[in-house]
Amino acid sequence: MDSLFRLILVIHLLCITACVHRQGATATGVPQGEVQKAAALQVLEAAASDADVSRRRDALAALVSASPDPAGGSWGKRGRWDPSAYVQRATVQALAGRPEPEARQLLKEMMNAASDPYARADAARILGKEVAASEVEAAAAGMEGWKAAGL
């Protein structure tokens, strides 16, 4: 079911990309590409609240990556606070592709406070030399007592 949802989402996004290049308009005068773009956004927003973690993960990653707002706007913050480790990691990966300082700041916050140790490690790896050694040590101190991370 998960792969079917992903396939439908990819096909839908490809259709939107192809339709955005068209110059056609709907009966209301709104460009057809804009109507389909809005429909795809509604699908992603609904999936971002889905109980199914894989759907929520994929939708939030797409919304964070494509948002016109710095650091994915409210979607980046939502991914940061999602209870699922998979969603947190996908949010870190989506933020990695964003150039804004706000995205880097959100990555620093996730490096220090994400509940998933892998998300914290990914954030630290992505930030690399941008963070001071003391920040990395502080994040590592927060992991004391961990023997292994859950899968």
Side-chain angles (χ1 to χ4, degrees):
M1 186 65 141
D2 180 42
S3 60
L4 178 63
F5 175 76
R6 285 184 184 175
L7 178 64
I8 291 170
L9 183 63
V10 168
I11 291 170
H12 194 66
L13 291 174
L14 287 173
C15 288
I16 290 169
T17 303
C19 291
V20 165
H21 295 292
R22 284 189 192 160
Q23 297 301 319
T26 62
T28 60
V30 177
Q32 192 172 18
E34 292 300 316
V35 171
Q36 291 182 345
K37 188 175 172 183
L41 187 59
Q42 286 179 332
V43 169
L44 285 172
E45 287 175 351
S49 299
D50 201 301
D52 184 311
V53 172
S54 61
R55 288 182 182 170
R56 198 168 67 241
R57 175 197 64 210
D58 294 343
L60 279 171
L63 289 165
V64 169
S65 295
S67 175
D69 299 323
S74 63
W75 301 113
K77 293 178 183 125
R78 191 164 168 186
R80 178 200 191 283
W81 292 107
D82 195 278
S84 168
Y86 297 111
V87 175
Q88 289 178 18
R89 279 182 250 157
T91 301
V92 166
Q93 293 303 317
L95 287 168
R98 303 216 37 139
E100 310 95 3
E102 293 88 349
R104 296 296 181 231
Q105 181 58 41
L106 190 53
L107 281 169
K108 283 182 182 180
E109 290 173 17
M110 292 187 80
M111 181 184 78
N112 292 318
S115 61
D116 177 51
Y118 291 111
R120 289 198 307 259
D122 281 351
R125 180 183 50 76
I126 290 163
L127 289 170
K129 296 184 181 198
E130 293 179 32
V131 295
S134 60
E135 290 183 67
V136 174
E137 289 173 12
M143 294 176 62
E144 283 185 31
W146 282 83
K147 300 278 189 242
L151 297 177

